[in-house]
């Protein structure tokens, strides 16, 4: 079974498509107040966005130990490859090629779930507000030092 969460601009189109194709294994949820609870109940996350560089839902999914299948946009592919907690696919693939990648993800799902569960604390720490803030602070300080050196040199 599949669950589609969200009520964005394409929600009505998705519902119409599901009804026209008589998709019986698809449930629509407009909103869920407890995202971690929902994500941890899933076997896997599928994100088909071709525009989000690093979607929050992907990070949330990995932080609760749920593997992901996503279009390789910006940092998604490298993250899933590095953590081995999911599969990505080039956003330029045809439908049939994407479907074949999806079948590979499904075949690998049990292994990916074990890996994602084992790494969830590491992922949570890596993307915590404390870690991200420290990274931004370090970057800011480095650039400030470079600018100060450049100002002194002129």
């Amino acid at each position: 079974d599949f669950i589609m969460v969200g009520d964005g601009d394409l929600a009505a189109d998705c519902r119409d498509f599901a009804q026209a194709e008589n998709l019986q294994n698809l449930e629509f949820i407009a909103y869920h107040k407890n995202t971690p609870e929902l994500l941890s109940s899933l076997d896997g996350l599928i994100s088909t966005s071709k525009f989000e560089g690093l979607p929050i839902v992907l990070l949330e999914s990995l932080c609760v130990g749920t593997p992901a299948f996503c279009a390789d946009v910006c940092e998604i592919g490298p993250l899933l490859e590095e953590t081995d907690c999911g599969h990505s696919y080039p956003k330029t693939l045809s439908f049939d090629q994407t479907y074949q990648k999806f079948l590979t993800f499904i075949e690998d799902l049990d292994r990916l779930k074990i890996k994602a569960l084992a790494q969830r604390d590491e992922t949570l720490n890596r993307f915590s507000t404390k870690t991200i803030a420290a990274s931004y602070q370090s970057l800011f300080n480095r650039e400030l030092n470079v600018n100060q050196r450049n100002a002194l040199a002129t």
Side-chain angles (χ1 to χ4, degrees), residues 29-100:
I29 300 175
Y31 172 77
H32 194 281
K33 66 181 179 178
N34 190 337
T35 303
E37 177 185 70
L38 174 66
L39 290 170
S40 64
S41 71
L42 303 177
D43 293 325
L45 170 76
I46 302 169
S47 175
T48 59
S49 175
K50 295 182 179 182
F51 303 105
E52 292 184 81
L54 190 56
I56 297 297
V57 71
L58 171 61
L59 299 179
E60 291 172 325
S61 178
L62 297 178
C63 286
V64 298
T66 300
F69 179 74
C70 304
D72 186 3
V73 181
C74 295
E75 295 301 314
I76 293 173
L79 174 64
L80 292 176
E81 185 176 320
E82 177 189 328
T83 60
D84 194 23
C85 293
H87 291 228
S88 66
Y89 60 93
K91 63 183 184 177
T92 56
L93 289 185
S94 69
F95 174 82
D96 290 337
Q97 292 169 318
T98 302
Y99 182 66
Q100 290 306 311

Side-chain angles (χ1 to χ4, degrees), residues 17 72 86 144 149:
F17 178 83
D72 186 3
L144 183 61
R149 282 193 303 265

Side-chain angles (χ1 to χ4, degrees), residues 1-40:
D1 289 352
F2 293 87
I3 300 172
M4 184 170 282
V5 181
D7 60 356
D9 295 342
L10 298 176
D13 292 342
C14 291
R15 283 186 176 83
D16 291 346
F17 178 83
Q19 186 174 9
E21 296 297 320
N22 196 28
L23 300 178
Q24 301 295 317
N25 63 341
L26 179 59
E27 180 181 348
F28 290 91
I29 300 175
Y31 172 77
H32 194 281
K33 66 181 179 178
N34 190 337
T35 303
E37 177 185 70
L38 174 66
L39 290 170
S40 64

Side-chain angles (χ1 to χ4, degrees), residues 72-150:
D72 186 3
V73 181
C74 295
E75 295 301 314
I76 293 173
L79 174 64
L80 292 176
E81 185 176 320
E82 177 189 328
T83 60
D84 194 23
C85 293
H87 291 228
S88 66
Y89 60 93
K91 63 183 184 177
T92 56
L93 289 185
S94 69
F95 174 82
D96 290 337
Q97 292 169 318
T98 302
Y99 182 66
Q100 290 306 311
K101 292 275 189 183
F102 174 71
L103 292 178
T104 301
F105 171 72
I106 295 300
E107 290 170 6
D108 203 19
L109 200 51
D110 290 338
R111 185 190 67 78
L112 293 170
K113 182 72 171 178
I114 291 167
K115 191 79 167 182
L117 285 168
Q119 291 190 44
R120 65 182 166 193
D121 290 339
E122 181 181 327
T123 304
L124 186 58
N125 181 55
R126 177 179 178 182
F127 294 102
S128 71
T129 53
K130 182 178 179 179
T131 302
I132 298 299
S135 179
Y136 277 124
Q137 184 67 47
S138 175
L139 178 62
F140 175 78
N141 289 339
R142 187 178 74 223
E143 291 303 311
L144 183 61
N145 288 335
V146 167
N147 288 336
Q148 288 173 345
R149 282 193 303 265
N150 288 341

